Amino acid sequence: MLDGKQTIFSGMQATGNLTLGNYLGALNNWVSLADSYNCFYCVVDEHAITIRQDPATLRANARKVLQLYIAAGLDPKKCCIYYQSHVPAHAELSWILGCFTYMGELSRMTQFKDKAAKHADNINAGLFTYPVLMAADILLYQSDLVPVGVDQKQHLELARDVAIRFNNIYGDVFTIPEGYIAKSGAKIMSLQEPSKKMSKSDENENASIYVLDAPDAIMRKFKRAVTDSVGVVRYSDEQPGIKNLIDIYCACTGLLPEAVEKEFDGKGYGDFKSAVGEAVVARLRPIQERFAELTKDKAYVDGIIKENAEKANYYANKTLRKVQKKVGFPERVR
Ligand code: ATP
Ligand code: LTN
């Protein structure tokens, strides 16, 4: 509890350009929660290097993600928006928590299994211990609530288990975090393979809508989206492509699936796809405009980065010192 408010932590990897999935499944919820909580929204660049990254691209993507947090509506004077690598306590706590996490637990993580299969030439230890660093991110700020997409639920459970285990040994050190998975937009699927989630590291450009895509690219990608031969706009598991488009339309307009089915009753997929494209373009336009302004104002963004890194370090170090003392590290000599 900070200033009478509960604390939120969440983060995104700077592994590419943010997608509509990242926006509707995560960022948009962060914005809705921001006024009621103390928020730490991190760009997790340390997590990103579990997959090999080109340094210049990683740096550029990290900056873009940070600017998109602001452009999407997070006020950097109220929310702490910062880079994970600017707060050394994340990596330090991660080491300590790694000594309280079992190999068996990490082996069960489906993200590890998926990413190991996808990057068979680089199954590094960081990819395996990824959830430990994520637990450190969350626990450092004594977070009460962690808004994530449904794909991160298993990691969050692990963070809770590790925190409970640590508290059982050493007393009340960590707040036990709760996950927050919003219903709308929780899992946006690929436009090309609707059984797979839309992901910023997908190699097929047509599979994902990027938050910074130009309107014509957005319209084109929706036109090419994979559907089915049923020919009816219906919210059904048997029509995963159409279901995904309805989810996107609902998340952008606030409508419910039944209303969408009614609106497009008797109409073809072409009309429906255009309507979804237009709703997405309208939703992203103000974000893209604000992003362009921020790109021009380097000094302002640099100031935000500096100020917020100091704030994050302050809170993170408070928890880290407490943990170091608990596990028996020697007192610092001043
Ligand atoms: P990568 O492709 O590198 O694995 P990603 O696109 O899956 O990245 P993350 O950085 O892992 O994105 O996720 C950032 C946040 O966005 C998380 O809270 C995650 O749950 C959410 N998210 C990611 N993809 C989707 C999606 N398709 N639908 C809903 N939420 C999503
Ligand atoms: N693993 C998350 C990103 C992430 C995160 C976190 C989310 C890293 N640390 C802490 C919430 C809280 C992902 O891949 N989406």
Side-chain angles (χ1 to χ4, degrees):
M1 198 70 90
L2 256 177
D3 309 328
K5 284 185 185 170
Q6 289 198 322
T7 298
I8 281 188
F9 184 96
S10 199
M12 277 193 214
Q13 302 193 66
T15 37
N17 292 314
L18 291 198
T19 68
L20 188 62
N22 297 133
Y23 175 65
L24 295 176
L27 196 45
N28 185 39
N29 299 322
W30 299 3
V31 176
S32 340
L33 294 164
D35 279 341
S36 320
Y37 292 84
N38 285 302
C39 301
F40 293 85
Y41 291 131
C42 185
V43 179
V44 292
D45 46 1
E46 291 175 333
H47 276 104
I49 63 163
T50 53
I51 306 294
R52 195 73 71 232
Q53 303 288 333
D54 168 65
T57 311
L58 176 61
R59 198 170 292 121
N61 282 338
R63 178 98 179 182
K64 274 197 210 164
V65 174
L66 187 127
Q67 286 186 180
L68 275 174
Y69 284 5
I70 305 172
L74 295 173
D75 178 353
K77 295 283 174 197
K78 292 190 189 145
C79 305
C80 189
I81 292 174
Y82 69 102
Y83 296 123
Q84 189 180 31
S85 62
H86 286 188
V87 183
H90 287 246
E92 291 183 48
L93 182 63
S94 177
W95 172 258
I96 298 174
L97 295 181
C99 301
F100 294 84
T101 309
Y102 300 117
M103 299 284 286
E105 289 178 307
L106 294 174
S107 310
R108 282 196 290 276
M109 296 292 124
T110 53
Q111 180 175 297
F112 171 69
K113 290 188 230 171
D114 292 348
K115 296 224 161 162
K118 213 166 139 196
H119 304 276
D121 55 337
N122 182 23
I123 306 178
N124 59 72
L127 197 60
F128 190 65
T129 57
Y130 178 112
V132 182
L133 179 58
M134 179 160 159
D137 298 341
I138 297 167
L139 301 180
L140 266 182
Y141 300 92
Q142 305 293 351
S143 312
D144 299 281
L145 203 66
V146 183
V148 281
V150 76
D151 60 308
Q152 294 300 308
K153 206 169 155 215
Q154 200 184 22
H155 288 165
L156 194 68
E157 283 298 318
L158 182 75
R160 285 170 55 89
D161 290 347
V162 172
I164 292 169
R165 186 171 304 148
F166 195 94
N167 282 359
N168 282 340
I169 305 172
Y170 299 105
D172 265 348
V173 178
F174 295 124
T175 301
I176 309 301
E178 296 286 339
Y180 174 93
I181 297 172
K183 283 212 177 72
S184 161
K187 198 164 186 188
I188 302 299
M189 310 309 275
S190 154
L191 297 187
Q192 291 298 315
E193 287 174 80
S195 56
K196 252 178 54 183
K197 78 161 189 164
M198 185 181 284
S199 158
K200 64 175 118 66
S201 53
D202 201 312
E203 272 137 34
N204 183 348
E205 283 260 316
N206 285 322
S208 307
I209 301 288
Y210 299 102
V211 177
L212 295 175
D213 269 347
D216 57 337
I218 296 176
M219 296 304 290
R220 191 177 59 240
K221 288 181 188 181
F222 277 114
K223 274 204 186 99
R224 290 187 188 156
V226 168
T227 52
D228 52 57
S229 54
V230 179
V232 180
V233 177
R234 197 173 43 208
Y235 196 68
S236 142
D237 288 337
E238 273 130 53
Q239 294 176 250
I242 289 293
K243 184 171 185 231
N244 187 39
L245 294 181
I246 296 179
D247 275 333
I248 294 173
Y249 193 61
C250 289
C252 288
T253 56
L255 291 169
L256 291 172
E258 304 84 76
V260 181
E261 287 177 345
K262 250 198 212 132
E263 185 182 343
F264 292 95
D265 188 23
K267 294 193 183 140
Y269 286 171
D271 286 351
F272 177 51
K273 284 175 164 185
S274 299
V276 179
E278 277 161 21
V280 170
V281 168
R283 187 62 188 259
L284 297 181
R285 185 176 299 118
I287 302 175
Q288 296 183 347
E289 286 169 3
R290 180 82 182 107
F291 179 87
E293 282 166 23
L294 289 166
T295 304
K296 283 188 218 136
D297 202 345
K298 184 170 182 303
Y300 169 75
V301 176
D302 284 348
I304 295 294
I305 291 172
K306 181 165 181 283
E307 222 171 86
N308 281 323
E310 280 165 13
K311 183 171 162 194
N313 270 295
Y314 171 79
Y315 289 109
N317 284 334
K318 254 174 59 170
T319 302
L320 180 67
R321 298 288 172 255
K322 196 163 155 191
V323 171
Q324 288 174 326
K325 204 165 156 189
K326 290 283 185 187
V327 297
F329 292 170
E331 294 273 359
R332 276 152 207 262
V333 180
R334 292 184 195 279

